Amino acid sequence: MQQTTKSAAICVVGAGHVGLVTGACLADMGHRVACVDVDGEKIALLQQGRLPIYEPDLQPLLEKGAASGSLRFTTSYEEALEGVEFIFIAVNTPSTPEGAADLRHVRDAARCIGQALKGGRPIVVNKSTVPVGTSETVDHILSAENSATEGLPVVSNPEFLREGTAVHDFFHPDRVVLGCRDPEAAARVAALYRPLNSPILITDVKTAEMIKYASNAFLATKISFINEIASICEGVGADVTQVALGMGWDRRIGPDFLRAGLGYGGSCLPQDVRALSHMAYIYVSHRQLLNAVMQINVDQRRRLVRRLREVLGTMEDKPIAVLGLSFKPDTDDIRDAPALDFIRLLEYEGAHVRVYDPQAADQARAELPDIAYCTDPYEAAQGCLALIIATEWDEFRSLDLARLKECMAKPVLADGRNVLDPTTVRQHGFTYLGVGRPEQVQPPIILEPGQREA
Ligand code: UDX
């Protein structure tokens, strides 16, 4: 295997979440990176040193890259491609109405590269999630556009970055996956990642693409599985948080992605499960497995609304507070956010919704124009008959419950992410609704090896 590559000239196509994190982190590793995007406004913002997205730890990398000249932004493909050795394609692939991945942006990117590349033999690295078997699309377009891009090596490099921890994830990957027909090209891309000290798996292209879909669909399945267990726990009177604890200590299961709640959202998990279910349909496999995962996911929101209806009666004209809008904490991303879906259900019930989110309010305004946006949890709770935690921002773990109760017309707290201690909330006089938690929670006793029972 080749050694590390110290300072390469790299073009990153797409200044979205994945493109920006990839570009800024590669620049931090000592490479010379040009990020190109067709969105002039976004590029102008980045040229002023401002991020169009919220991602912890990214701003310092942006500033460092700009100061050293190792990270540039442009709308010109010609400029970005001059003298490059690697071209990373990191554009989004939204869902079509049938649930398949829409390749329009990937095709456009390949076409623009084909038209603008003047010479050299750069390696094209595809980070965008494309349906298994369609990766040759990039190959074909590059070959059709221009003799300079004919037969360029294309490496598939699925990304596993999580929003909110994307910079950390880039520098500490569990693994790097590369798919390529040409072992020499794969080795050159592997050399870029060698300083990260993670295992690198090189496979054929289709296998690499499938690893991405299978990983995300498995994570979604884990979440829907625990949510289904939560729903059974509500029936039998068990506590899902302790069930997850006991399951997670089994090394074959693992503790991650076993948090029951309002379900998964974001730009990847919902879209990838839909796309894999579509692939299962095309290849006559069992799409009902992933369809159940999706159904359980949306039902999580409907089930909490039904439980609120049982406690409050009709919600017509009643003020209800919701804390959290983003699809998870530490991001302002509201794409496919469970909170938004939940709020729409409350609106359908006739409730007047008052929300607070530390980051995502501006993003949500266009999608939810008829709700009241508040500047803190207590303002949101003012005069409300119930308050729901829809996203587990850290600040919601330390709510001043006494103050919250003072603000509310009726003390009903629905903890859609199981972040609060039910006993404490009840001691403050609230009716508490968790996800998969019994009326009386018996705290777990954990004895470490060698420790005696008290
Ligand atoms: C995901 C994958 O983790 C990442 O590898 C891939 O590259 C992109 O998609 P991301 O969308 O940033 O990353 O979010 P993630 O942290 O995976 O969470 C996804 C959703 O699942 C969130 O809505 C989160 O709230 C929810 N979730 C997660 C649960 O409901 N329960 C859990 O136990 C874990």
Side-chain angles (χ1 to χ4, degrees), residues 160-163 257-259 264-265 268 327-328 417:
F160 301 101
L161 307 176
R162 291 164 301 172
E163 286 184 30
F257 279 70
L258 287 179
R259 293 193 316 273
Y264 61 81
C268 290
F327 82 95
K328 67 174 191 178
R417 295 288 174 182

Side-chain angles (χ1 to χ4, degrees), residues 285-301:
S285 290
H286 298 96
R287 91 182 295 199
Q288 61 268 40
L289 174 66
L290 294 176
N291 286 357
V293 168
M294 291 189 273
Q295 191 60 56
I296 292 167
N297 197 47
V298 295
D299 284 352
Q300 283 306 100
R301 298 122 207 202

Side-chain angles (χ1 to χ4, degrees), residues 304-306 308-309 312-322 339-355 368-372 380 382-388:
L304 194 56
V305 170
R306 188 190 63 200
L308 278 171
R309 214 189 292 123
L312 300 175
T314 172
M315 284 185 253
E316 192 69 43
D317 280 335
K318 292 186 177 164
I320 309 274
V322 175
L340 267 60
D341 193 19
F342 182 73
I343 290 169
R344 286 196 194 95
L345 293 172
L346 291 179
E347 286 188 306
Y348 183 74
E349 296 280 324
H352 296 300
V353 182
R354 299 169 60 80
V355 300
L368 295 170
D370 300 324
I371 58 176
Q382 203 62 50
C384 285
L385 296 169
L387 175 137
I388 298 96

Side-chain angles (χ1 to χ4, degrees), residues 18 55 129 158-165 169 175 212 215-216 219-220 222-224 226-227 255-270 272 297 301 326-329 331 333 335-338 390-392 417:
V18 175
E55 180 62 46
T129 307
E159 62 81 21
F160 301 101
L161 307 176
R162 291 164 301 172
E163 286 184 30
T165 53
D169 291 350
R175 78 305 205 187
K212 165 76 190 223
S215 302
N216 275 355
L219 292 174
K222 243 183 140 179
I223 297 169
S224 281
I226 201 67
N227 280 333
D256 296 332
F257 279 70
L258 287 179
R259 293 193 316 273
L262 290 184
Y264 61 81
S267 64
C268 290
L269 258 48
D272 292 354
N297 197 47
R301 298 122 207 202
S326 55
F327 82 95
K328 67 174 191 178
T331 174
D333 196 337
R335 283 176 288 179
D336 253 319
T391 310
E392 66 276 36
R417 295 288 174 182

